[in-house]
Amino acid sequence: MAVRHEVENLIRRGNIFYWRPRIPAAFIHCRPGSRLSLSLHCSDHRKAQIIGRKLNTRLAELKMNSKDVMTAKKPLQILLEHVRDQELERLDDISTMAKRNGRGGDVVEMELDLEAGWACQLLAKFGTRSDLSFDGDCPGLAYLLKNGVPASHVDAIRANYLAELTIARSAGFEDGIRRLIYQFDVDDTAVNRERAMSKMFEGRAAALLDIDDRHELVDRTSSEFTGGGRANKSVVEEKPVEVEPGAAFSLGLAKKSQPAPTATDIPEPEEIAYLDLSPRVVPNAKTAAAKASQRVVAVADFEQACEKLIANMGEEWTTETGRDAMALVRMFKSVLMEHDVEHSGQIEQYHIGLLRQHFNDIPTNWGRSSKMRVMSAPELRAEGEKLRKAADAVGTKAKVGLASTTIRKHFGNLQHFLKHLKGHGFEIENWTFEGLRPRKPKAGDIRHQQYKPKPQDIAPIFSSPIYTGSQDHLRGKRRKPGKHVFHDSLYYLPILFTYLGPRRKEFAGLAVDDIAKDEDGYVILLRTNGIRRLKTAQSKRLLPMPDEMVRLGFLDYYQAIKGLGYEALFPDLFSDKTENDPGNRFYDTFIPVMRGALGEKMWERSIHALRHGMADTLKQAGVPTEVIDDISGRLSEGSETNTRYTNPAGLPLMRSALQHYPIITSIVERKPLQLLPWIENKQPPPWAREGKK
């Protein structure tokens, strides 16, 4: 039950505070009497009261100024100050932790900030579309030298610049910019997004280069950035550091402290600080190692750190693997924020245990719901508790708690992430997953986890309206009996899955160019194409085209799709408006067909089970397991001959092995070719929705 507090609009549900104001009538586009609901993600009543008062003030300002027209320049300046202040708070936390670890006054800490600051300054000045080489007549190098940056620090600034540039060019970064300018009431235009990006980097640069208070204990004479030990001006004439007109922030120069002015003081010209550009003596390696410092990464920045990890893994990770890693990091971040953990240095083994318990208390299918994916950790567990109570009321088992295999996958991704942070010098405790990670299933248990349908179990699918005739091409009418037989992925892929047992995305993502012909007939080339990658190296293989595919008019279909100019062999699985997974699209359309054909006899993991069924049928017919693995794109372990000394099974051997699978599509009658109308007319798919392409 919600409990109100003395601060207006502030209530408590359980241990978490929420801000629930009534929307002012001035906002005419909102329904009268409606309310906002915002979780403050904190359980401390003092913090909640402070946040609640600030939100009430902001709401009152919006109510009074809702009709004011604001130019983009003013809110962008506010945005700059906001980013600067956020960065200053983060850097202050890092500086405090440095003092705690005995590194207060360390010149290395100051130089790390200045190097990162000049990298952000370059991005603010030159934008994210320029590729600065820092060699020869590079304008970025000229800008640094012109502003007095020591040449010996250019390499470090280049490394910081490239790291920030990688993040700035990622897909998630622009989404963050859109959210940021929306927060500051700036029109979402390409020009304003570019301005906001520049202001964001300018704000970060200002914070990083403002070292006077944060590094006041550092001996400025020990760094080339701040004088390099010269008491007087160098004999060599050097250019002073240029400060941008109107800049309100220090750019990292050491200024002499001045006594407070009196009424009789005569103003004197401000002394200009010069930087020493002479080469610095490289310190001894042991000395440098001793001075190396550990740093922390803010929990709020975990997603950016994960994006760097995904970029580093490159071709080793598929898009799906990167998406899983990001989902885990967001979940871990939410659990940490719930317990007031602010940066990596504060994470303890206890918090890893909290994450493990969190896995047990959330809905099993939370990742499939866009609503649940944006919920905080307490909200997700509350949703799991609702499902438990609803299931108890009717005497069923609640779909709460992640599967052991999913938890193992999440802990594997967490281990990758923690190694990534530790490898980049961030302070990470030596955590263990012992007692938390579910044990790996035994081989005997694995064998019985997946149902292996026999040919007679699968045969009813080919008596469905997809093959005998349906009412229309639309999704609902496709499953009702009629006179139309359409040729598309829904017609041909079940045949391929039955006879060849591939992974779902392997065949859903086939390109027109992946169909070829040899001396014995047509073949399917499974390889990385412009549509999708393959899971493993052994996934790349050559498979014979099943004879039933040829009998049922696949070659006519192939020529028609090729003649229309499509790249994808099954274009009905792709949208021109979004980047969608063709395997998932096929799953969504085919599962209702299977359910209608099989009824109560339908097995779990329905499409993947066809892969198991093909392998089991061939094994029971006496086909060697090594040949089955080569057809399926797996690598048999335990045999040096099979892995090192021999190539995969050739097409003649595969054709001979596949003949042991009985023909269960003989009941399907060949019909004249009929493409889906919107495929034939090259129109957008009727199921497509607006989204990011």
Side-chain angles (χ1 to χ4, degrees):
M1 180 176 178
V3 180
R4 295 193 174 274
H5 279 254
E6 53 267 27
V7 176
E8 185 181 5
N9 300 324
L10 186 66
I11 64 172
R12 188 185 70 197
R13 289 177 178 168
N15 292 329
I16 302 300
F17 285 89
Y18 289 78
W19 183 64
R20 293 196 76 245
R22 194 177 298 279
I23 299 177
F27 297 93
I28 60 175
H29 294 291
C30 296
R31 189 172 57 191
S34 57
R35 287 182 177 272
L36 296 172
S37 182
L38 176 68
S39 171
L40 302 185
H41 297 301
C42 74
S43 55
D44 187 285
H45 70 278
R46 290 194 182 91
K47 287 184 181 180
Q49 287 173 347
I50 293 171
I51 298 171
R53 291 188 182 101
K54 288 182 178 179
L55 290 171
N56 288 335
T57 303
R58 178 58 178 155
L59 184 64
E61 291 173 352
L62 288 172
K63 180 180 177 181
M64 291 185 293
N65 302 324
S66 60
K67 295 182 180 179
D68 292 348
V69 178
M70 186 184 294
T71 62
K73 186 175 181 181
K74 182 178 178 181
L76 283 173
Q77 180 61 30
I78 298 173
L79 185 150
L80 180 147
E81 295 171 2
H82 167 77
V83 173
R84 176 205 60 189
D85 294 342
Q86 273 195 331
E87 188 72 6
L88 282 172
E89 289 181 11
R90 187 180 74 86
L91 293 170
D92 184 62
D93 289 342
I94 294 174
S95 178
T96 302
M97 289 302 299
K99 293 174 185 176
R100 178 186 177 186
N101 295 324
R103 298 192 303 275
D106 192 342
V107 67
V108 175
E109 291 282 336
M110 182 188 74
E111 289 183 339
L112 288 171
D113 281 355
L114 292 176
E115 289 164 355
W118 281 110
C120 290
Q121 188 76 352
L122 289 173
L123 287 166
K125 292 295 179 185
F126 294 94
T128 59
R129 300 299 178 185
S130 300
D131 290 304
L132 302 179
S133 64
F134 295 84
D135 294 322
D137 57 352
C138 171
L141 179 61
Y143 177 81
L144 292 176
L145 297 179
K146 178 183 177 182
N147 283 278
V149 174
S152 58
H153 287 273
V154 169
D155 285 341
I157 294 172
R158 178 198 286 118
N160 278 278
Y161 169 81
L162 293 176
E164 294 290 346
L165 186 64
T166 300
I167 295 174
R169 289 179 175 178
S170 64
F173 186 81
E174 186 166 353
D175 290 340
I177 291 293
R178 288 177 186 271
R179 290 193 296 270
L180 196 59
I181 65 177
Y182 175 80
Q183 181 182 350
F184 287 89
D185 299 324
V186 180
D187 291 336
D188 187 5
T189 64
V191 173
N192 283 343
R193 287 198 296 273
E194 189 63 32
R195 286 174 179 160
M197 194 177 299
S198 296
K199 288 293 183 183
M200 192 197 74
F201 281 114
E202 187 178 336
R204 289 186 59 196
L208 286 160
L209 297 175
D210 186 7
I211 60 172
D212 291 340
D213 294 332
R214 197 167 60 254
H215 297 289
E216 60 181 346
L217 301 178
V218 176
D219 180 8
R220 304 301 171 87
T221 62
S222 61
S223 173
E224 290 180 275
F225 267 118
T226 51
R230 289 175 303 148
N232 302 313
K233 181 179 176 180
S234 173
V235 177
V236 181
E237 187 65 22
E238 296 166 345
K239 294 184 179 181
V241 173
E242 297 181 5
V243 181
E244 292 292 321
F249 319 112
S250 166
L251 294 183
L253 298 178
K255 297 181 181 179
K256 289 188 175 181
S257 58
Q258 301 290 341
T262 63
T264 58
D265 284 341
I266 301 174
E268 295 182 0
E270 186 178 359
E271 182 178 348
I272 299 175
Y274 291 88
L275 300 184
D276 182 10
L277 297 180
S278 58
R280 182 172 62 173
V281 178
V282 178
N284 182 273
K286 292 184 179 179
T287 306
K291 288 186 176 182
S293 59
Q294 290 284 326
R295 308 195 73 173
V296 295
V297 57
V299 171
D301 295 335
F302 269 19
E303 290 178 45
Q304 292 184 0
C306 186
E307 286 179 355
K308 291 182 179 179
L309 167 62
I310 294 170
N312 290 349
M313 296 307 293
E315 295 294 321
E316 295 182 35
W317 275 11
T318 62
T319 304
E320 291 77 12
T321 306
R323 192 184 303 126
D324 289 342
M326 183 62 76
L328 176 277
V329 168
R330 286 173 179 155
M331 194 185 302
F332 189 37
K333 170 184 169 182
S334 183
V335 171
L336 294 176
M337 292 176 68
E338 178 189 3
H339 292 84
D340 299 324
V341 177
E342 297 179 352
H343 55 73
S344 59
Q346 295 176 338
I347 303 175
E348 303 172 2
Q349 180 69 40
Y350 171 71
H351 298 114
I352 308 297
L354 290 175
L355 177 66
R356 177 64 181 87
Q357 296 309 309
H358 178 75
F359 290 151
N360 293 337
D361 298 329
I362 64 176
T364 304
N365 298 326
W366 72 275
R368 297 181 184 177
S369 167
S370 57
K371 180 182 176 181
M372 289 188 190
R373 283 199 298 268
V374 297
M375 285 183 176
S376 65
E379 291 170 336
L380 264 180
R381 292 198 299 274
E383 194 70 23
E385 186 61 26
K386 286 182 185 177
L387 293 176
R388 278 202 177 100
K389 290 180 179 178
D392 290 343
V394 296
T396 59
K397 184 178 180 182
K399 293 184 177 181
V400 177
L402 302 185
S404 59
T405 52
T406 305
I407 295 174
R408 285 185 59 82
K409 177 183 70 176
H410 281 321
F411 272 126
N413 286 330
L414 180 59
Q415 196 167 22
H416 270 294
F417 181 65
L418 298 180
K419 285 181 179 179
H420 169 76
L421 295 183
K422 197 165 187 176
H424 282 72
F426 292 111
E427 187 170 345
I428 297 294
E429 191 176 306
N430 289 324
W431 301 317
T432 178
F433 298 126
E434 285 188 32
L436 299 177
R437 191 197 308 242
R439 68 175 180 85
K440 190 174 182 179
K442 296 179 180 178
D445 297 332
I446 294 175
R447 167 167 281 175
H448 298 290
Q449 283 181 349
Q450 177 64 63
Y451 180 72
K452 302 165 182 63
K454 296 177 173 57
Q456 58 268 29
D457 297 332
I458 304 170
I461 294 173
F462 300 107
S463 299
S464 68
I466 299 297
Y467 298 96
T468 60
S470 58
Q471 285 186 3
D472 198 358
H473 70 279
L474 298 177
R475 183 171 179 177
K477 295 183 178 180
R478 191 82 183 271
R479 301 194 297 271
K480 297 179 180 178
K483 60 180 180 179
H484 298 286
V485 174
F486 296 96
H487 296 82
D488 61 346
S489 63
L490 206 52
Y491 186 92
Y492 286 117
L493 281 181
I495 303 172
L496 289 171
F497 288 150
T498 298
Y499 291 127
L500 295 179
R503 299 175 181 91
R504 189 202 315 168
K505 194 172 181 179
E506 286 179 339
F507 275 18
L510 282 172
V512 171
D513 293 340
D514 292 336
I515 305 300
K517 187 178 182 182
D518 69 354
E519 59 274 10
D520 296 318
Y522 281 85
V523 295
I524 302 172
L525 288 77
L526 276 173
R527 56 189 178 181
T528 297
N529 55 32
I531 300 173
R532 56 98 181 94
R533 293 170 52 192
L534 295 179
K535 184 176 181 180
T536 57
Q538 57 268 23
S539 299
K540 182 179 179 181
R541 58 198 189 277
L542 204 61
L543 295 176
M545 180 74 69
D547 293 337
E548 280 294 277
M549 287 285 287
V550 178
R551 182 182 73 81
L552 293 173
F554 176 76
L555 298 181
D556 293 339
Y557 168 83
Y558 162 70
Q559 293 296 341
I561 294 297
K562 185 176 181 180
L564 288 169
Y566 285 107
E567 178 188 4
L569 184 60
F570 300 109
D572 56 290
L573 299 177
F574 295 86
S575 168
D576 62 331
K577 298 178 181 179
T578 55
E579 292 284 357
N580 67 290
D581 186 316
N584 290 344
R585 177 63 195 171
F586 175 75
Y587 179 91
D588 291 340
T589 56
F590 183 56
I591 289 300
V593 174
M594 289 189 72
R595 190 173 291 114
L598 301 176
E600 295 181 354
K601 295 181 179 180
M602 185 168 172
W603 51 84
E604 293 185 358
R605 300 186 71 199
S606 311
I607 298 179
H608 188 71
L610 297 175
R611 178 171 168 83
H612 289 251
M614 185 277 297
D616 181 60
T617 301
L618 295 187
K619 179 181 178 180
Q620 303 308 325
V623 178
T625 55
E626 293 85 356
V627 177
I628 299 174
D629 283 346
D630 289 338
I631 294 172
S632 302
R634 293 186 295 267
L635 189 63
S636 299
E637 297 181 358
S639 170
E640 188 80 3
T641 301
N642 191 55
T643 57
R644 184 186 295 271
Y645 288 94
T646 60
N647 289 320
L651 286 171
L653 183 55
M654 286 187 180
R655 286 191 172 100
S656 175
L658 291 171
Q659 287 178 0
H660 290 84
Y661 197 99
I663 304 301
I664 60 175
T665 52
S666 57
I667 59 174
V668 180
E669 181 183 350
R670 177 170 178 167
K671 300 286 186 179
L673 179 67
Q674 186 174 4
L675 300 178
L676 295 171
W678 53 272
I679 289 293
E680 193 168 14
N681 298 325
K682 303 196 72 171
Q683 295 172 334
W687 51 265
R689 56 179 176 79
E690 293 293 341
K692 190 172 181 180
K693 183 68 175 174

